[in-house]
Amino acid sequence: DTEVTQTPKHLVMGMTNKKSLKCEQHMGHRAMYWYKQKAKKPPELMFVYSYEKLSINESVPSRFSPECPNSSLLNLHLHALQPEDSALYLCASSQDRSSGRETQYFGPGTRLLVL
Amino acid sequence: TQLLEQSPQFLSIQEGENLTVYCNSSSVFSSLQWYRQEPGEGPVLLVTVVTGGEVKKLKRLTFQFGDARKDSSLHITAAQPGDTGLYLCAGRISGGYNKLIFGAGTRLAVHP
């Protein structure tokens, strides 16, 4: 089983709303990732969690707040977003053996529209 | 800046034709992954290559990792309309601490 699940699949929110994106995997992976993907562009890394600790933050604005409650779950809390934050948000996971060879498996994404 | 240059960006071909997509870099990768992505969906893993000179086959798809682990190619034989999609290569830099470098993607359209 190489499945990463994400909810919701679609989300429309206003600029004053607070919402959360959720990601789950049951592959025993200890590294989890959030990516943002704009139309016709490759995914851009936002955050990396390794063993439930934030290990990489790619200078993401504070209106995006990640959380890793346990080794299977990853959340992305959204607050006061801008219309330009509209994108496909992808979650991924991988083993974290620091050998550099671990494959990342992606979820289906959440398509976010900020009005 | 660590870059992974992917070419071509767009490819429009007829069913039955062959094609090759290339990913090149000046950096050495500890591994390289190829993904296929449909619009509005997440990338789906096709293959991971880790050894220099490695060749992997997945039905009509052949993946090659360069001897120096700086480049890779994807060759599709007798393309089908179902092969249509965005193909992404993504490499992990040696010592790159869980960070993938993505190519810009190749948008393939196969016409019946």
Side-chain angles (χ1 to χ4, degrees), chain B residues 86-112:
Chain B
L86 176 67
Y87 289 82
L88 292 161
C89 61
R92 188 189 294 271
I93 300 289
S94 296
Y97 306 108
N98 291 337
K99 192 168 177 179
L100 280 182
I101 307 297
F102 277 87
T106 295
R107 197 162 294 279
L108 172 65
V110 182
H111 304 283

Side-chain angles (χ1 to χ4, degrees), chain B residues 3-73:
Chain B
L3 291 177
L4 191 51
E5 295 186 4
Q6 187 171 346
S7 63
Q9 273 194 286
F10 303 97
L11 203 47
S12 180
I13 62 172
Q14 294 297 125
E15 183 175 0
E17 291 185 31
N18 301 333
L19 66 117
T20 303
V21 179
Y22 300 94
C23 276
N24 297 290
S25 177
S26 57
S27 300
V28 176
F29 295 104
S30 56
S31 67
L32 193 139
Q33 282 122 56
W34 285 92
Y35 296 90
R36 179 167 166 267
Q37 187 176 22
E38 302 278 1
E41 299 290 330
V44 175
L45 179 72
L46 297 174
V47 79
T48 299
V49 285
V50 298
T51 305
E54 184 175 5
V55 177
K56 283 192 172 178
K57 290 186 187 256
L58 186 67
K59 296 183 181 178
R60 293 177 292 99
L61 278 60
T62 302
F63 304 87
Q64 189 160 4
F65 202 15
D67 290 341
R69 292 185 288 129
K70 293 182 178 181
D71 56 271
S72 182
S73 64

Side-chain angles (χ1 to χ4, degrees), chain A:
Chain A
D1 180 14
T2 56
E3 189 178 29
V4 177
T5 59
Q6 288 187 245
T7 55
K9 189 159 176 64
H10 301 278
L11 180 61
V12 180
M13 61 186 289
M15 288 190 283
T16 58
N17 292 159
K18 285 185 182 181
K19 296 286 185 183
S20 297
L21 309 184
K22 296 185 183 302
C23 173
E24 190 167 1
Q25 57 88 15
H26 294 289
M27 295 179 276
H29 289 171
R30 302 310 297 268
M32 295 186 77
Y33 311 77
W34 280 115
Y35 287 85
K36 174 183 177 180
Q37 187 177 25
K38 300 287 274 185
K40 303 187 191 307
K41 297 287 187 184
E44 298 174 28
L45 183 66
M46 300 174 73
F47 302 104
V48 180
Y49 271 82
S50 176
Y51 289 87
E52 296 136 61
K53 293 193 187 315
L54 184 65
S55 61
I56 296 177
N57 176 342
E58 291 286 282
S59 302
V60 179
S62 59
R63 57 186 185 269
F64 296 92
S65 175
E67 179 197 17
C68 190
N70 61 55
S71 60
S72 300
L73 293 173
L74 185 65
N75 299 322
L76 186 63
H77 302 298
L78 314 173
H79 175 53
L81 294 195
Q82 304 297 310
E84 59 264 29
D85 296 322
S86 299
L88 182 68
Y89 287 84
L90 294 163
C91 175
S93 71
S94 72
Q95 296 288 358
D96 188 351
R97 300 196 189 102
S98 300
S99 72
R101 296 183 169 192
E102 289 70 39
T103 296
Q104 288 188 24
Y105 296 90
F106 284 83
T110 293
R111 180 155 298 282
L112 174 67
L113 178 61
V114 182
L115 299 176

